[in-house]
Each structure stands twice: as structure tokens, then as C-alpha cells.
Amino acid sequence: MSKYTMGIDVGSTASKCVIIKDGKEIVAKSVISVGTGTSGPARAIKQALEEIGLNSIAQLDGAVATGYGRNSLEEVPVQMSELSCHAKGAYFLFPKVRTIIDIGGQDSKALKVGDNGMLENFVMNDKCAAGTGRFLDVIAKVLEVDLKDLEKLDEQSKLDVTISSTCTVFAESEVISQLAKGTKIEDIVKGIHTAIASRVGSLAKRVGIKDQVVMTGGVALNQGMVRALERNIGFKIYTSEYCQLNGAIGAALFAYQKCLQAEK
């Protein structure tokens, strides 16, 4: 009989949920753009369950929570570190992965992965918003553009603009002064991508970059950011349509493993 397991990744800015059948096939997924401390996790779980015609986690064969708010879900008693889940999820999507770069809402991290997708080493920045999705949010508001338009604007840039500040507050005022000088928005966007890539790229270099490099997290959906990182680290970066769900995929796979172990 088929087994269905759930992974729920409760982030600071989004809640992601995945249901996997027999540890192989993603059969349901949801992303709600609010995270821990909100209705987001419950809504993400409900949406994923409804996709396969269920209405309770108890009807599944297992569930694991991960992410920033993983301890806040009473209905999911099993939690796993987001680092292990990211390694597992990326290995599921890209079996040759060796380096993972994850830009989340509140932090960015670089992970080194072994042959079997096991985490070998990691470096993390969670002390400062620069180099995170939150940083892009702030800058998009200053520029009065939609987050999803950043990629298109980056493509249109014809000029390299240097944003030197690595602090969100100072970078914000730097962007405002660039606007006052008449610098084009697309050139500022590319400059911001380059600035974030420099910060995140240095994390990846500290962990030791090996091919194949995979980028996860919602920011990986922005190809302008991916290109900036490729320029910085000198490696091709692989992404997937499931990059934002990566942690949740890993959690669902751990739930499946636990399920198999319980049967032995």
C-alpha cells in the first residue's frame, strides 16, 4: 500500500508544505506567503491535504516540521533541522549536488553535501538582513517595484552600478541617493543583486564550493539573483521550480524514512 508523508517548512516569511508518495513522487504542494506566528502554516497544511482529498494530518503515514517556526506546530510532533532538510531536499531534486546556497527570508546559508546527500558542513548568516530575501523586499519597496519584476529589470540593465553598503539601512539610503542622481532603476536592481551575491558568495567560498551547485529558497526563483551569484562564484548554478519547497521536500522524505524504520 502506498505511503503518504508530509513535510512542512515554517519560515519567517512563508509557509511551505509538500506531500510525497512512497518517498518518490510529489503529489501535493502549497506555498503561503506568511510564516511563523500567523495562519500561514495551518493554511499551507490544509491546502496540501485538500489536493489529495484528505482533511487531517492523522490520515497521513507521517509528518515532519522544519524551518524557523518548526516548534510552533502542535499537530506535527516531529521536528528536524532545516539544514538537514535542505540537504535532503536538494539531493532529491539534484542527485549530483555538492554545494547548496540557500537565501531565505531572514538568513542565508551555504551547505556542503556528501555523496549520499548528507550534510558535511555549513556556514550561515542570520545576524544581518543583508544577503536575505528581506533585503530584496526592502529595496523593492524603496524602488516602488514588485519583487517578481526584479529579474526582468536586471535583464534590462546596461550599466554596472556599485552598491557598496552591506547593511540594509545604509544600502537603502544609497539606493535613494542613486535615484536622486537619476540612475536607472534597472541598473540599481542589478547593483543590488551584485551586492547580495558578493555577501552570499563569500559564505559559499568559506564552506568550499564544489560542483554541482544548487540554489534553493524563494530567492532562487529570481534569475537575476542567480546570474549575479554565478558571476561571483564562477560556477553554474542549478535551480528547480521546487526551489522554494526544498526544505519541505527534505522534511517529507525524513518522515518517509521514519515510517519505514517504524515498520522494521
Side-chain angles (χ1 to χ4, degrees), residues 147-209:
L147 256 184
K148 58 179 185 294
D149 293 334
L150 293 178
E151 178 182 332
K152 263 204 312 270
L153 286 160
D154 180 286
E155 267 177 21
Q156 292 160 14
S157 171
K158 302 276 190 293
L159 189 73
D160 287 337
V161 170
T162 304
I163 306 289
S164 53
S165 300
T166 52
C167 165
T168 307
V169 179
F170 293 136
E172 199 177 336
S173 55
E174 212 177 319
V175 164
I176 290 165
S177 69
Q178 288 283 359
L179 286 170
K181 277 197 299 197
T183 308
K184 288 186 171 168
I185 286 180
E186 53 265 37
D187 296 329
I188 296 173
V189 168
K190 190 176 177 186
I192 285 292
H193 285 157
T194 303
I196 294 176
S198 145
R199 195 171 178 96
V200 177
S202 68
L203 280 185
K205 287 162 196 165
R206 272 165 59 201
V207 89
I209 304 171

Side-chain angles (χ1 to χ4, degrees), residues 1-5 19-27 61 92 252-253 256 260:
M1 219 167 86
S2 289
K3 294 199 180 314
Y4 293 85
T5 56
I19 298 172
I20 288 183
K21 177 183 168 185
D22 297 329
K24 292 189 183 77
E25 183 193 349
I26 296 169
V27 291
D61 297 284
F92 174 81
L253 293 169
Y256 178 68
L260 296 184

